[in-house]
Amino acid sequence: YAMLLSLIFLIVLVAAVVGFVFRHEIKTNFESNLNLALRDYNVTADRHSEAVDTIQRTLHCCGVQNYSDWERTEYFTQRGIPRSCCKSQDDCLEEDLKDLSKAKLKVFVDGCFFLVTSTMESKMSVVAGISFGIACFQLVGIILACCLSQYITNNQYEMV
């Protein structure tokens, strides 16, 4: 049992170190995947499109760097900027969303990439604290399992 806990502890520790070391590559990868999701937005109505809509609605953002990123997508030529970018759903007309100058007044202008990464970085202290707490419990479990094993091998454990 102590070996299993030690293995899990090491896997979590390695994952944390790798995540910290490669955080810039993770950001770059996220940005390229967000650009791909925008390019393929609603072509197949898949979960990537739903994820983009959720991010834009939740964080009050639009596009990767800003709302004008939508201009380079196939979806924009057909329908304009998505409604998930709208500040108010009642005030967003499809004609306004097809014109960037009109849309600027009706949609969120900030890009999602900066907001997502800054939100993730602000929550990292909470994640690190919870991870540290779990690691402490794992270490206590490892120590207690080793003590029990030692106690059993010394034949001081009485069978019931």
Side-chain angles (χ1 to χ4, degrees), residues 85-159:
C85 285
C86 293
K87 293 177 186 174
S88 171
Q89 295 297 319
D90 301 330
D91 192 29
C92 264
L93 302 173
E94 192 171 321
E95 301 83 42
D96 295 338
L97 295 175
K98 287 184 176 181
D99 182 10
L100 281 183
S101 59
K102 289 180 185 176
K104 183 177 184 177
L105 303 171
K106 308 233 177 194
V107 300
F108 304 113
V109 293
D110 296 329
C112 294
F113 175 71
F114 175 73
L115 288 172
V116 168
T117 55
S118 63
T119 301
M120 286 171 53
E121 287 172 358
S122 70
K123 306 291 184 200
M124 279 304 193
S125 59
V126 174
V127 172
I130 292 170
S131 299
F132 181 71
I134 292 171
C136 288
F137 278 118
Q138 281 184 315
L139 287 176
V140 168
I142 291 168
I143 292 169
L144 290 176
C146 289
C147 290
L148 181 62
S149 173
Q150 186 67 31
Y151 196 69
I152 290 172
T153 56
N154 288 339
N155 292 326
Q156 296 173 352
Y157 186 77
E158 190 174 315
M159 293 281 203

Side-chain angles (χ1 to χ4, degrees), residues 76-90:
F76 181 81
T77 58
Q78 297 169 357
R79 298 185 188 158
I81 296 175
R83 295 186 64 80
S84 59
C85 285
C86 293
K87 293 177 186 174
S88 171
Q89 295 297 319
D90 301 330

Side-chain angles (χ1 to χ4, degrees), residues 13-34:
L13 184 67
V14 166
V17 169
V18 167
F20 181 75
V21 170
F22 294 111
R23 67 185 180 276
H24 298 295
E25 286 83 0
I26 292 170
K27 280 184 181 180
T28 305
N29 193 17
F30 174 72
E31 185 177 17
S32 66
N33 284 331
L34 191 56

